[in-house]
Amino acid sequence: MTATPTPAQLAARAEAREQVRADLRAKAVTAEEVTGAESIVRSLEEVGADTVFGIPGGAILPAYDPLMDSKRLRHILVRHEQGGGHAASGYAHATGRVGVTMATSGPGATNLVTPLADAHMDSIPMVAITGQVGAASIGTDAFQEADIVGITMPITKHSFLVTDPDEIPRTVAEAFHIASTGRPGPVLIDIAKSAMQANTTFSWPQDLQLPGYHPVTKPHAKQIREAAKLLATARRPVLYVGGGVVRSGASELLRKLVDLSGAPVVTTLMARGAVPDSHPQNLGMPGMHGTVPAVAALQKADLIFALGARFDDRVTGKLSSFAPRAAIIHADIDPAEIGKNRAVDVPIVGDLREVIADLLPELAKEHETVGKPDLEGWWRQVDGWRETYPLGYTEPDDGHLAPQRVIQRLGELVGPDAIYAGGVGQHQMWAAQFIKYEKPRTWINSGGLGTMGYSVPAAMGAKAGRPDAEVWAIDGDGCFQMTNQELATCTINDIPIKVAVINNSSLGMVRQWQTLFYNERYSNTDLHTGHGTARVPDFVKLAEAYGCEGIRVESPSEVDDAIKRAREIDDRPVVVDFTVSRDAMVWPMVAAGVSNDDIQYARGISPSWDRED
């Protein structure tokens, strides 16, 4: 149940609204006569956007003419709208700013559905601007007409339809505000072509009127005190850290909480890097392919403090058996997440920066009152799991590379300052497991939706947003074939990303499930990209055709040299084709729908622990 706002919370809300008004007044410009299309460009400039990923088409074409004259906006012409959407997401992931993508009506807009759904699942701040047929033609099944507002309502934070050119500045301002505040997410602005072609008066709004949209950022003091009491007295606590910590920019404060509490911490797939992997209290990633210590600690905990996490099925396993003896503290900016999947003992609604900032002194007070909890026995048990069940892998016996070794060496040679963008599948899990992340916003992936083809365009967006960073796309041969056309975008626009293709000539994760659950009946998972005599396509030749450097690696002795060579090339993208074993599998593993108690450390090997302790 949501608590009644305190006077302090109401004052904080008023202060936030006044700050928004002040920012808008500061940006206010003299009204002038422009077209609706010019108003779009001016609005993007005023809101602080600097990069747009898009493709022109009939309905959006009026906006592209004034865009050509902008000195403040860089437009990157992508090769597919899906690539533009994922690039905007990668940009937002890496920078923390709102990513922007643009497309035309009909098929152009519908090609953005997957990126919008992806951003919605992972709470990525993004604004998509689509052209629409003229206002008079809406609803007539006109050429390239699609009700993109209706289509995207379930997968966006908000969707706008603009038919009046006078509404463009306010709509853009509101869209960026909604996308970047509260729980971040994607916002769609669908603008009729007739509105772009009409004349209007451009005037940047000095205030935003969003009735009903008032995200709570300041947590309730009573809930903070209750959380501090539980954390100070628990004997088997775990901090369960989700992507919300990264989105809120709370990583430094979280580190203080980890140190003060003394509790083990687990970082989900979306939170890798929120706490340094080198921190002695970090047990790694929980969930289906998490570490045994992380999974076991959650199962045996007497208190779980969830911070910006959502108790999704990939973390909890069979929900009814998840952490059966744990009290739950759940802090999140989105009240809809609290109690959605797991009953909560102490709900805290607020921005995690403010939640943790308020919690630290309260926890210190509790330590002064009751003393620090004795966690020695708990750590002895956790360290026993660490020693007995470390992450590892076996070398394949088919003569091909171990993919885990490739990814581990990539992380070791490139280091923690680089940005790594993963695709979806086995390579994604290995990248989450075997690369050591020390900083937030250095691991980018599609966590909730699991979108194959995400890696290359997301890496492109990350590199565009942070050009001084070294950016690696870690992709599978299946994922790579879905969006590799964006290599052309990278080459032409001087975006020198590096791509490590973990090429097992298969849809690897699907094949792993066929091995484990379908009696090794490999139905439609062989891609013919690397094993045997056929290479369809040959990724090295494909890279060269796109103006990239292509490198092939087939033996362990070539791995380090190939990575070093790729790092030395900065004037064009690089694709490294690592031919790896198709029989390698991701371990540990909790099968879908199975209790986390039944985690397998390797095939046929389950940890032995007292399930009643």
Side-chain angles (χ1 to χ4, degrees), residues 388-413:
T388 307
Y389 304 108
L391 275 176
Y393 59 90
T394 57
E395 291 288 343
D397 56 12
D398 60 4
H400 293 294
L401 294 168
Q404 303 95 325
R405 171 188 169 85
V406 170
I407 292 171
Q408 186 173 44
R409 287 304 292 155
L410 179 65
E412 290 169 349
L413 292 171

Side-chain angles (χ1 to χ4, degrees), residues 513-525:
W513 281 49
Q514 288 173 334
T515 299
L516 297 175
F517 310 122
Y518 292 90
N519 300 316
E520 300 182 6
R521 289 166 55 83
Y522 301 118
S523 173
N524 292 283
T525 47

Side-chain angles (χ1 to χ4, degrees), residues 48 57 140 177 249-250 347 351 490 514:
T140 68
H177 178 68
D351 186 292
C490 292
Q514 288 173 334

Side-chain angles (χ1 to χ4, degrees), residues 346-383:
V346 180
I348 304 174
V349 177
D351 186 292
L352 289 177
R353 284 176 299 181
E354 299 198 42
V355 169
I356 300 173
D358 288 359
L359 180 63
L360 288 169
E362 287 297 330
L363 182 57
K365 286 180 188 177
E366 287 296 323
H367 287 167
E368 290 175 4
T369 302
V370 302
K372 286 198 170 186
D374 180 6
L375 303 181
E376 184 177 349
W378 179 224
W379 272 111
R380 189 161 50 247
Q381 188 175 23
V382 169
D383 286 338

Side-chain angles (χ1 to χ4, degrees), residues 219 223-224 227 240-242 244-245 257 304-311 328-335 337-339 344 346-356 359:
Q223 305 301 87
I224 293 292
Y240 162 33
V241 175
V245 168
L257 177 62
I304 293 176
F305 192 164
L307 296 132
R310 54 190 181 87
F311 293 90
I328 304 294
I329 305 169
H330 192 174
D332 203 287
I333 190 74
D334 184 359
E337 285 295 343
I338 296 177
V344 175
V346 180
I348 304 174
V349 177
D351 186 292
L352 289 177
R353 284 176 299 181
E354 299 198 42
V355 169
I356 300 173
L359 180 63

Side-chain angles (χ1 to χ4, degrees), residues 213-562:
Y213 182 71
H214 304 292
V216 174
T217 59
K218 184 70 175 173
H220 198 289
K222 179 178 181 294
Q223 305 301 87
I224 293 292
R225 289 194 297 270
E226 290 298 318
K229 288 177 182 177
L230 284 179
L231 192 55
T233 55
R235 291 296 176 263
R236 297 190 304 279
V238 176
L239 302 180
Y240 162 33
V241 175
V245 168
V246 178
R247 301 288 168 266
S248 68
S251 295
E252 289 187 16
L253 284 168
L254 175 64
R255 172 68 180 269
K256 295 179 181 179
L257 177 62
V258 171
D259 293 340
L260 181 62
S261 70
V265 58
V266 301
T267 53
T268 67
L269 181 64
M270 297 306 298
R272 303 291 289 119
V275 177
D277 278 341
S278 60
H279 195 289
Q281 290 165 236
N282 191 345
L283 306 185
M285 184 173 69
M288 174 176 279
H289 293 296
T291 69
V292 170
V295 172
L298 288 171
Q299 287 301 97
K300 305 302 180 185
D302 66 358
L303 174 68
I304 293 176
F305 192 164
L307 296 132
R310 54 190 181 87
F311 293 90
D312 68 285
D313 61 298
R314 283 302 194 255
V315 168
T316 65
K318 185 179 179 181
L319 187 59
S320 61
S321 67
F322 175 72
R325 291 174 291 280
I328 304 294
I329 305 169
H330 192 174
D332 203 287
I333 190 74
D334 184 359
E337 285 295 343
I338 296 177
K340 183 177 77 174
N341 294 328
R342 172 66 183 256
V344 175
D345 297 281
V346 180
I348 304 174
V349 177
D351 186 292
L352 289 177
R353 284 176 299 181
E354 299 198 42
V355 169
I356 300 173
D358 288 359
L359 180 63
L360 288 169
E362 287 297 330
L363 182 57
K365 286 180 188 177
E366 287 296 323
H367 287 167
E368 290 175 4
T369 302
V370 302
K372 286 198 170 186
D374 180 6
L375 303 181
E376 184 177 349
W378 179 224
W379 272 111
R380 189 161 50 247
Q381 188 175 23
V382 169
D383 286 338
W385 296 326
R386 279 173 153 172
E387 183 177 349
T388 307
Y389 304 108
L391 275 176
Y393 59 90
T394 57
E395 291 288 343
D397 56 12
D398 60 4
H400 293 294
L401 294 168
Q404 303 95 325
R405 171 188 169 85
V406 170
I407 292 171
Q408 186 173 44
R409 287 304 292 155
L410 179 65
E412 290 169 349
L413 292 171
V414 175
D417 291 329
I419 296 172
Y420 303 90
V424 168
Q426 288 180 313
H427 61 279
Q428 174 191 26
M429 295 298 103
W430 287 320
Q433 291 175 334
F434 289 99
I435 293 176
K436 301 302 180 185
Y437 299 96
E438 298 293 310
K439 301 175 182 179
R441 302 194 185 281
T442 55
W443 167 240
I444 296 172
N445 79 128
S446 171
L449 196 64
T451 304
M452 293 180 68
Y454 181 81
S455 177
V456 169
M460 176 175 71
K463 184 68 173 177
R466 291 175 56 185
D468 294 334
E470 183 173 348
V471 180
W472 280 83
I474 301 176
D475 221 353
D477 46 310
C479 289
F480 183 60
Q481 293 186 78
M482 294 189 175
T483 52
N484 62 37
Q485 68 269 25
E486 299 308 334
L487 290 173
T489 309
C490 292
T491 297
I492 292 168
N493 290 278
D494 298 320
I495 305 174
I497 66 169
K498 306 178 196 305
V499 184
V501 181
I502 309 302
N503 182 3
N504 60 7
S505 195
S506 302
L507 296 172
M509 188 62 84
V510 181
R511 191 177 195 277
Q512 175 168 332
W513 281 49
Q514 288 173 334
T515 299
L516 297 175
F517 310 122
Y518 292 90
N519 300 316
E520 300 182 6
R521 289 166 55 83
Y522 301 118
S523 173
N524 292 283
T525 47
D526 191 344
L527 295 177
H528 301 282
T529 54
H531 292 193
T533 57
R535 290 185 180 274
V536 184
D538 184 317
F539 290 140
V540 170
K541 292 180 180 178
L542 181 69
E544 292 170 348
Y546 277 127
C548 308
E549 181 74 12
I551 303 170
R552 177 166 294 123
V553 180
E554 297 182 287
S555 69
S557 63
E558 299 171 336
V559 171
D560 286 14
D561 287 343

Side-chain angles (χ1 to χ4, degrees), residues 578-595:
F578 293 98
T579 304
V580 303
S581 173
R582 66 173 52 179
D583 293 324
M585 290 195 278
V586 183
W587 301 105
M589 181 176 180
V590 180
V594 171
S595 169

